[in-house]
Amino acid sequence: MANERAKRTKWVVGNWKMHGRLAENEALLRALLQAGSVTETVRIGVCVPAPYLAQTEALLRSGPLAWGVQDVSAYAHGAYTGETAAEMAAEFGATLAIVGHSERRAYHGETSEVVALKAQRALAAGLTPIVCVGETLQQRETGATQAVVGAQIDAVLDTLSVQELARIVVAYEPVWAIGTGKSATVDEAQQVHAFLRARLAAKDAGLGDVTLLYGGSVKPDNAEALFGQADIDGGLIGGASLKSHDFLAICMAASTARAV
Ligand code: PEP
C-alpha cells in the first residue's frame, strides 16, 4: 500500500488525558498556534478534557488546529450521568473524538461493541472518531496481537456502514507502549498497521485509504522513523502532547517523514 501513501494526509493528534488547568492550557494552546507552515501538510489536533472545550474553542477557533474530546457517549442524550454526548462536543466546535482508548477499555469496561457504537455516535454528530485498538504485553508475548486488534477492528467493521467507515481514523496503540517510554519498534508498528489496512481493505477496497495513526511513547526522537513507515499516517500523542516544544517537533517530523 506504500504507493497509496502519498494520497493520505498526515495527522498528529494530542491526547491530553486528565491533565491541564486553565492557565497551563492557555500557555500550551498559544504555543501550538505558532505551528506555522507545518499545518499546511499535517492535520494537527488536540483532544482535551471536556470541561476545557469552551476555552479551547475560544483560543483555536480562528486558526488551523482542530480540537476534540477523549470519549463520547454511545447515546445522543438521556439519563447517562457523567457522560458527554458527541453533539455537545460539536456545539463547542469539536471535530475529533477519541473512542476506545485502552484506558477507557481497561478502567471503564468498554467493550469493542460499545466502542463501535461510540464511533457511530461521533460520526452522527459530525465528529471524526479516532478508534483506538491495541494489545497488552501478555497478548503480544503469546502471539495474540493480530487476533486481538483484529477482533477490536472487526467490531467497528461489523457495526458501521462503508460510508461511515470511510470517515473514521484508526489509532494502533499497543497498551504496553502507552505512557511507558517504550515505543513499539518501527517494524512492530508497521506490521500491525499493514494488518489493519488489509483488514479495512478486505471490507471495501476504498477503506484501504483510512488514516492509521500510531500511538505509544512517540517522542521527537522516534517520530520521524515511525511516521516514515508505509502504513503509518501520523500519531496519537499522549505525554509529549503536553509539552509544546515536543509536540511541535513531532508535528514537524510528520511533515518531513518520507515513506520507506
Ligand atoms: C495515549 O495516551 O494515547 C498515548 C499514546 O500516550 P503516550 O504518548 O504518553 O504513550
Side-chain angles (χ1 to χ4, degrees):
M1 304 264 174
N3 54 339
E4 300 296 315
R5 160 76 181 267
K7 284 202 261 165
R8 302 194 303 267
T9 309
K10 287 288 182 46
W11 290 58
V12 176
V13 178
N15 171 17
W16 287 9
K17 310 195 190 213
M18 198 174 72
H19 292 292
R21 292 293 184 268
L22 287 170
E24 60 200 66
N25 300 344
E26 178 166 350
L28 177 53
L29 291 170
R30 286 197 188 283
L32 297 188
L33 284 170
Q34 309 306 313
S37 61
V38 73
T39 59
E40 288 164 20
T41 51
V42 182
R43 281 195 198 161
I44 302 173
V46 287
C47 289
V48 304
Y52 296 130
L53 277 174
Q55 180 194 27
T56 304
E57 181 185 31
L59 285 161
L60 298 188
R61 87 177 127 217
S62 53
L65 274 56
W67 61 93
V69 285
Q70 300 163 16
D71 179 43
V72 290
S73 175
Y75 306 99
H77 49 78
Y80 302 104
T81 302
E83 298 213 358
T84 301
E87 290 79 355
M88 295 172 183
E91 285 196 303
F92 289 91
T95 57
L96 305 171
I98 297 171
V99 295
H101 191 281
S102 63
E103 288 152 16
R104 301 288 318 170
R105 292 178 190 260
Y107 308 144
H108 301 273
E110 289 187 11
T111 64
S112 294
E113 289 66 34
V114 167
V115 171
L117 292 174
K118 289 183 171 205
Q120 199 163 42
R121 198 67 247 156
L123 287 165
L127 308 183
T128 298
I130 301 173
V131 180
C132 299
V133 299
E135 81 289 0
T136 64
L137 185 59
Q138 195 214 6
Q139 289 164 338
R140 173 160 284 268
E141 286 176 348
T142 55
T145 298
Q146 291 196 356
V148 170
V149 300
Q152 289 171 338
I153 200 67
D154 281 353
V156 179
L157 292 172
D158 292 346
T159 303
L160 273 57
S161 68
V162 170
Q163 289 74 21
E164 288 172 323
L165 289 163
R167 293 164 50 213
I168 71 171
V169 167
V170 177
Y172 168 56
E173 297 207 310
V175 178
W176 47 271
I178 295 179
T180 58
K182 185 184 184 317
S183 167
T185 66
V186 291
D187 289 342
E188 287 169 335
Q190 166 56 24
Q191 273 173 23
V192 179
H193 279 244
F195 168 77
L196 286 166
R197 197 173 294 291
R199 198 81 157 208
L200 285 154
K203 168 94 179 182
D204 184 276
L207 298 177
D209 285 338
V210 163
T211 298
L212 299 183
L213 308 182
Y214 169 78
S217 296
V218 177
K219 300 181 223 60
D221 61 2
N222 62 10
E224 190 161 352
L226 284 161
F227 301 163
Q229 297 304 299
D231 290 297
I232 301 181
D233 302 321
L236 181 58
I237 317 299
S241 73
L242 298 170
K243 297 178 196 145
S244 59
H245 183 266
D246 285 2
F247 189 64
L248 288 174
I250 291 168
C251 294
M252 186 59 76
S255 149
T256 52
R258 297 270 172 278
V260 290

